[in-house]
Amino acid sequence: MNDEKVQKYFREIVQTEKDVSAGVAAIRTLMEVIAQTKSETVQELETNLKSAIHVMKNSDLPVAVITSACELFLRFITLVGLDGGSFQECKQIMLHRGNLFLNKLGEARGKIVKFASKFIADGSKILTHSRSRVVLQTFCHAFKLGKKFEVFVTQSGPDNSGIQMHNELRAYGIRSTLILDSAIGYVMEQIDFIMIGAEGVLESGGIVNKLGSYTMAVCARELKKSFYVLAESFKFSRVFPLNQQDLPLEYKYTSEVRKSSTDLKTVHPLVDYTPPLYITLLFSDLGILTTSAVSDQLIELYM
């Protein structure tokens, strides 16, 4: 597959399958690259896979999850040496491992939903930010179990993704209130806890997520509210930032902005970094984790 075909295949998944994460779409695209490859050696195929990853990371979609998912995928399919057989045999092994990896990812969101929905009690008032698929499914699952609760959703500018989350909650029958991003402090004293998703879980135990998540976390800590993060393990990334400036530029700005802007300081970033200090618990398909356990989990994932 050439770069144009990779981009088209990847974008088609993202645009037509709204419940599929960009990370899963990226892995499925890499599987297609393997299936269609005309390479004759494993080394040549790996070069093509890395080229495809580069293309997808420049598609103006969340880069953090694409990066971590692809790194884990490449690690998983080459976990055991591929030497000793023909290239076609190696290719079939990689496709088999890739399917196992995708099946594992397919079960991840359901596990998180079961873990997190237990923390939602009758009468709970919950604050969330932007739109997260796993958070939405957790709320719907809890509601299906007969729990009555209210969700406050930030509008989440500049793309206003919180409006979609608010509408989806109301369509499901869940009581939802849309608030301005600037109203976080005002609403915080009314709510019981915060529950948000993440675009990436970093080695520090902190998270990368939609701009405004850090503000929400700081406010929550000040008012002693629990701050829960829901994220699949394929979002775990070997990045260890010390502050906002340490985040990779590709995480914070689209490829178009990075190419066209001469002064990125004048452009609002898409995401921010929330340090582990502000996070109460992480809900993952690997279990319910403290932030200090993330580095251990990353070691196991990449062993």
Side-chain angles (χ1 to χ4, degrees), residues 128-153:
T128 192
H129 183 50
S130 186
R131 180 185 184 271
S132 162
R133 297 175 183 87
V134 68
V135 172
L136 176 62
Q137 288 188 18
T138 297
F139 291 155
C140 291
H141 181 70
F143 185 77
K144 191 175 180 180
L145 292 175
K147 297 180 180 182
K148 305 299 180 185
F149 54 94
E150 181 177 3
V151 181
F152 291 85
V153 187

mmCIF file of all heavy atoms in Angstrom, residues 128-153:
data_model
loop_
_atom_site.group_PDB
_atom_site.id
_atom_site.type_symbol
_atom_site.label_atom_id
_atom_site.label_comp_id
_atom_site.label_asym_id
_atom_site.label_seq_id
_atom_site.Cartn_x
_atom_site.Cartn_y
_atom_site.Cartn_z
ATOM 1 N N THR A 128 -17.791 15.410 33.583
ATOM 2 C CA THR A 128 -16.920 14.835 32.557
ATOM 3 C C THR A 128 -16.529 15.919 31.566
ATOM 4 O O THR A 128 -17.121 16.998 31.536
ATOM 5 C CB THR A 128 -17.591 13.638 31.853
ATOM 6 O OG1 THR A 128 -16.624 12.930 31.072
ATOM 7 C CG2 THR A 128 -18.731 14.093 30.947
ATOM 8 N N HIS A 129 -15.521 15.604 30.762
ATOM 9 C CA HIS A 129 -14.949 16.596 29.851
ATOM 10 C C HIS A 129 -14.875 16.031 28.446
ATOM 11 O O HIS A 129 -14.470 14.879 28.253
ATOM 12 C CB HIS A 129 -13.535 16.965 30.340
ATOM 13 C CG HIS A 129 -12.861 18.031 29.543
ATOM 14 N ND1 HIS A 129 -13.453 19.234 29.238
ATOM 15 C CD2 HIS A 129 -11.611 18.084 28.982
ATOM 16 C CE1 HIS A 129 -12.615 19.990 28.548
ATOM 17 N NE2 HIS A 129 -11.495 19.303 28.373
ATOM 18 N N SER A 130 -15.300 16.807 27.454
ATOM 19 C CA SER A 130 -15.229 16.423 26.056
ATOM 20 C C SER A 130 -16.085 15.171 25.814
ATOM 21 O O SER A 130 -17.065 14.930 26.515
ATOM 22 C CB SER A 130 -13.765 16.192 25.649
ATOM 23 O OG SER A 130 -13.634 15.945 24.277
ATOM 24 N N ARG A 131 -15.694 14.365 24.846
ATOM 25 C CA ARG A 131 -16.421 13.126 24.543
ATOM 26 C C ARG A 131 -15.452 11.957 24.560
ATOM 27 O O ARG A 131 -14.472 11.933 23.814
ATOM 28 C CB ARG A 131 -17.105 13.197 23.180
ATOM 29 C CG ARG A 131 -17.872 11.926 22.823
ATOM 30 C CD ARG A 131 -18.447 11.982 21.425
ATOM 31 N NE ARG A 131 -19.246 10.802 21.135
ATOM 32 C CZ ARG A 131 -18.761 9.663 20.612
ATOM 33 N NH1 ARG A 131 -17.451 9.581 20.344
ATOM 34 N NH2 ARG A 131 -19.554 8.629 20.368
ATOM 35 N N SER A 132 -15.744 11.002 25.423
ATOM 36 C CA SER A 132 -14.948 9.782 25.504
ATOM 37 C C SER A 132 -15.876 8.600 25.266
ATOM 38 O O SER A 132 -16.917 8.470 25.916
ATOM 39 C CB SER A 132 -14.284 9.663 26.881
ATOM 40 O OG SER A 132 -13.858 8.338 27.121
ATOM 41 N N ARG A 133 -15.505 7.721 24.353
ATOM 42 C CA ARG A 133 -16.341 6.562 24.050
ATOM 43 C C ARG A 133 -16.496 5.650 25.259
ATOM 44 O O ARG A 133 -17.590 5.184 25.568
ATOM 45 C CB ARG A 133 -15.738 5.765 22.886
ATOM 46 C CG ARG A 133 -15.661 6.533 21.577
ATOM 47 C CD ARG A 133 -14.936 5.691 20.519
ATOM 48 N NE ARG A 133 -14.770 6.406 19.260
ATOM 49 C CZ ARG A 133 -13.758 7.208 18.988
ATOM 50 N NH1 ARG A 133 -12.816 7.407 19.894
ATOM 51 N NH2 ARG A 133 -13.671 7.820 17.824
ATOM 52 N N VAL A 134 -15.389 5.391 25.953
ATOM 53 C CA VAL A 134 -15.456 4.463 27.091
ATOM 54 C C VAL A 134 -16.224 5.070 28.265
ATOM 55 O O VAL A 134 -16.937 4.371 28.978
ATOM 56 C CB VAL A 134 -14.034 4.006 27.507
ATOM 57 C CG1 VAL A 134 -13.225 5.146 28.106
ATOM 58 C CG2 VAL A 134 -14.105 2.848 28.488
ATOM 59 N N VAL A 135 -16.111 6.381 28.468
ATOM 60 C CA VAL A 135 -16.885 7.045 29.523
ATOM 61 C C VAL A 135 -18.367 7.014 29.178
ATOM 62 O O VAL A 135 -19.220 6.734 30.032
ATOM 63 C CB VAL A 135 -16.409 8.496 29.728
ATOM 64 C CG1 VAL A 135 -17.329 9.241 30.689
ATOM 65 C CG2 VAL A 135 -14.979 8.501 30.265
ATOM 66 N N LEU A 136 -18.692 7.287 27.914
ATOM 67 C CA LEU A 136 -20.089 7.241 27.473
ATOM 68 C C LEU A 136 -20.674 5.854 27.698
ATOM 69 O O LEU A 136 -21.789 5.718 28.226
ATOM 70 C CB LEU A 136 -20.174 7.621 25.994
ATOM 71 C CG LEU A 136 -21.556 7.525 25.334
ATOM 72 C CD1 LEU A 136 -22.543 8.471 26.001
ATOM 73 C CD2 LEU A 136 -21.457 7.805 23.835
ATOM 74 N N GLN A 137 -19.943 4.824 27.332
ATOM 75 C CA GLN A 137 -20.438 3.459 27.514
ATOM 76 C C GLN A 137 -20.580 3.100 28.990
ATOM 77 O O GLN A 137 -21.482 2.351 29.369
ATOM 78 C CB GLN A 137 -19.511 2.471 26.801
ATOM 79 C CG GLN A 137 -19.626 2.530 25.295
ATOM 80 C CD GLN A 137 -18.851 1.428 24.602
ATOM 81 O OE1 GLN A 137 -18.483 0.407 25.198
ATOM 82 N NE2 GLN A 137 -18.580 1.611 23.320
ATOM 83 N N THR A 138 -19.696 3.647 29.824
ATOM 84 C CA THR A 138 -19.791 3.400 31.269
ATOM 85 C C THR A 138 -21.066 4.009 31.833
ATOM 86 O O THR A 138 -21.793 3.365 32.608
ATOM 87 C CB THR A 138 -18.567 3.999 31.990
ATOM 88 O OG1 THR A 138 -17.382 3.340 31.523
ATOM 89 C CG2 THR A 138 -18.680 3.828 33.500
ATOM 90 N N PHE A 139 -21.358 5.244 31.444
ATOM 91 C CA PHE A 139 -22.587 5.898 31.897
ATOM 92 C C PHE A 139 -23.818 5.121 31.421
ATOM 93 O O PHE A 139 -24.766 4.906 32.188
ATOM 94 C CB PHE A 139 -22.653 7.331 31.376
ATOM 95 C CG PHE A 139 -21.635 8.265 31.995
ATOM 96 C CD1 PHE A 139 -21.213 9.407 31.309
ATOM 97 C CD2 PHE A 139 -21.102 8.017 33.242
ATOM 98 C CE1 PHE A 139 -20.293 10.270 31.874
ATOM 99 C CE2 PHE A 139 -20.166 8.878 33.824
ATOM 100 C CZ PHE A 139 -19.766 10.007 33.129
ATOM 101 N N CYS A 140 -23.814 4.699 30.174
ATOM 102 C CA CYS A 140 -24.967 3.970 29.626
ATOM 103 C C CYS A 140 -25.147 2.624 30.329
ATOM 104 O O CYS A 140 -26.279 2.201 30.599
ATOM 105 C CB CYS A 140 -24.781 3.763 28.123
ATOM 106 S SG CYS A 140 -24.890 5.283 27.153
ATOM 107 N N HIS A 141 -24.025 1.961 30.635
ATOM 108 C CA HIS A 141 -24.109 0.673 31.330
ATOM 109 C C HIS A 141 -24.679 0.850 32.742
ATOM 110 O O HIS A 141 -25.536 0.065 33.175
ATOM 111 C CB HIS A 141 -22.722 0.036 31.405
ATOM 112 C CG HIS A 141 -22.690 -1.302 32.074
ATOM 113 N ND1 HIS A 141 -23.233 -2.435 31.507
ATOM 114 C CD2 HIS A 141 -22.199 -1.694 33.288
ATOM 115 C CE1 HIS A 141 -23.073 -3.461 32.327
ATOM 116 N NE2 HIS A 141 -22.444 -3.043 33.405
ATOM 117 N N ALA A 142 -24.196 1.868 33.436
ATOM 118 C CA ALA A 142 -24.703 2.130 34.790
ATOM 119 C C ALA A 142 -26.198 2.465 34.755
ATOM 120 O O ALA A 142 -26.969 2.017 35.620
ATOM 121 C CB ALA A 142 -23.924 3.281 35.423
ATOM 122 N N PHE A 143 -26.598 3.238 33.761
ATOM 123 C CA PHE A 143 -28.015 3.599 33.620
ATOM 124 C C PHE A 143 -28.855 2.357 33.316
ATOM 125 O O PHE A 143 -29.970 2.196 33.838
ATOM 126 C CB PHE A 143 -28.167 4.635 32.501
ATOM 127 C CG PHE A 143 -29.555 5.171 32.350
ATOM 128 C CD1 PHE A 143 -30.049 6.128 33.233
ATOM 129 C CD2 PHE A 143 -30.383 4.724 31.331
ATOM 130 C CE1 PHE A 143 -31.340 6.632 33.095
ATOM 131 C CE2 PHE A 143 -31.666 5.212 31.177
ATOM 132 C CZ PHE A 143 -32.147 6.168 32.067
ATOM 133 N N LYS A 144 -28.313 1.474 32.500
ATOM 134 C CA LYS A 144 -29.007 0.236 32.150
ATOM 135 C C LYS A 144 -29.199 -0.658 33.370
ATOM 136 O O LYS A 144 -30.177 -1.424 33.453
ATOM 137 C CB LYS A 144 -28.202 -0.505 31.073
ATOM 138 C CG LYS A 144 -28.936 -1.664 30.430
ATOM 139 C CD LYS A 144 -28.107 -2.248 29.302
ATOM 140 C CE LYS A 144 -28.835 -3.416 28.634
ATOM 141 N NZ LYS A 144 -28.034 -3.997 27.526
ATOM 142 N N LEU A 145 -28.293 -0.542 34.328
ATOM 143 C CA LEU A 145 -28.402 -1.320 35.570
ATOM 144 C C LEU A 145 -29.434 -0.734 36.527
ATOM 145 O O LEU A 145 -29.669 -1.279 37.607
ATOM 146 C CB LEU A 145 -27.036 -1.378 36.269
ATOM 147 C CG LEU A 145 -25.937 -2.182 35.545
ATOM 148 C CD1 LEU A 145 -24.612 -2.061 36.293
ATOM 149 C CD2 LEU A 145 -26.342 -3.650 35.406
ATOM 150 N N GLY A 146 -30.023 0.407 36.146
ATOM 151 C CA GLY A 146 -31.070 1.029 36.955
ATOM 152 C C GLY A 146 -30.599 2.146 37.854
ATOM 153 O O GLY A 146 -31.367 2.654 38.677
ATOM 154 N N LYS A 147 -29.341 2.551 37.693
ATOM 155 C CA LYS A 147 -28.820 3.632 38.536
ATOM 156 C C LYS A 147 -29.287 4.987 38.009
ATOM 157 O O LYS A 147 -29.316 5.217 36.798
ATOM 158 C CB LYS A 147 -27.296 3.571 38.581
ATOM 159 C CG LYS A 147 -26.748 2.283 39.209
ATOM 160 C CD LYS A 147 -25.234 2.259 39.231
ATOM 161 C CE LYS A 147 -24.716 0.959 39.856
ATOM 162 N NZ LYS A 147 -23.235 0.921 39.932
ATOM 163 N N LYS A 148 -29.649 5.863 38.932
ATOM 164 C CA LYS A 148 -30.098 7.206 38.573
ATOM 165 C C LYS A 148 -29.017 8.203 38.985
ATOM 166 O O LYS A 148 -28.640 8.272 40.156
ATOM 167 C CB LYS A 148 -31.416 7.537 39.274
ATOM 168 C CG LYS A 148 -32.535 6.517 39.029
ATOM 169 C CD LYS A 148 -32.896 6.406 37.547
ATOM 170 C CE LYS A 148 -34.013 5.384 37.338
ATOM 171 N NZ LYS A 148 -34.292 5.162 35.891
ATOM 172 N N PHE A 149 -28.534 8.954 38.030
ATOM 173 C CA PHE A 149 -27.455 9.897 38.303
ATOM 174 C C PHE A 149 -27.523 11.038 37.295
ATOM 175 O O PHE A 149 -28.260 10.974 36.308
ATOM 176 C CB PHE A 149 -26.085 9.207 38.227
ATOM 177 C CG PHE A 149 -25.841 8.472 36.937
ATOM 178 C CD1 PHE A 149 -25.173 9.087 35.891
ATOM 179 C CD2 PHE A 149 -26.275 7.151 36.760
ATOM 180 C CE1 PHE A 149 -24.939 8.422 34.693
ATOM 181 C CE2 PHE A 149 -26.052 6.475 35.570
ATOM 182 C CZ PHE A 149 -25.384 7.106 34.532
ATOM 183 N N GLU A 150 -26.726 12.072 37.550
ATOM 184 C CA GLU A 150 -26.707 13.230 36.662
ATOM 185 C C GLU A 150 -25.281 13.499 36.216
ATOM 186 O O GLU A 150 -24.338 13.376 36.998
ATOM 187 C CB GLU A 150 -27.260 14.463 37.383
ATOM 188 C CG GLU A 150 -27.288 15.716 36.520
ATOM 189 C CD GLU A 150 -27.897 16.922 37.231
ATOM 190 O OE1 GLU A 150 -28.241 16.781 38.429
ATOM 191 O OE2 GLU A 150 -28.020 17.982 36.602
ATOM 192 N N VAL A 151 -25.131 13.855 34.946
ATOM 193 C CA VAL A 151 -23.815 14.126 34.390
ATOM 194 C C VAL A 151 -23.733 15.589 33.951
ATOM 195 O O VAL A 151 -24.629 16.087 33.269
ATOM 196 C CB VAL A 151 -23.512 13.220 33.183
ATOM 197 C CG1 VAL A 151 -22.110 13.513 32.630
ATOM 198 C CG2 VAL A 151 -23.626 11.747 33.556
ATOM 199 N N PHE A 152 -22.657 16.261 34.352
ATOM 200 C CA PHE A 152 -22.363 17.606 33.870
ATOM 201 C C PHE A 152 -21.266 17.468 32.817
ATOM 202 O O PHE A 152 -20.214 16.886 33.094
ATOM 203 C CB PHE A 152 -21.896 18.504 35.015
ATOM 204 C CG PHE A 152 -22.977 18.826 36.015
ATOM 205 C CD1 PHE A 152 -23.253 17.962 37.066
ATOM 206 C CD2 PHE A 152 -23.725 19.986 35.896
ATOM 207 C CE1 PHE A 152 -24.245 18.250 37.988
ATOM 208 C CE2 PHE A 152 -24.725 20.288 36.817
ATOM 209 C CZ PHE A 152 -24.987 19.419 37.863
ATOM 210 N N VAL A 153 -21.498 17.996 31.641
ATOM 211 C CA VAL A 153 -20.565 17.852 30.531
ATOM 212 C C VAL A 153 -20.059 19.218 30.095
ATOM 213 O O VAL A 153 -20.854 20.118 29.810
ATOM 214 C CB VAL A 153 -21.234 17.162 29.323
ATOM 215 C CG1 VAL A 153 -20.193 16.867 28.238
ATOM 216 C CG2 VAL A 153 -21.951 15.890 29.738
#
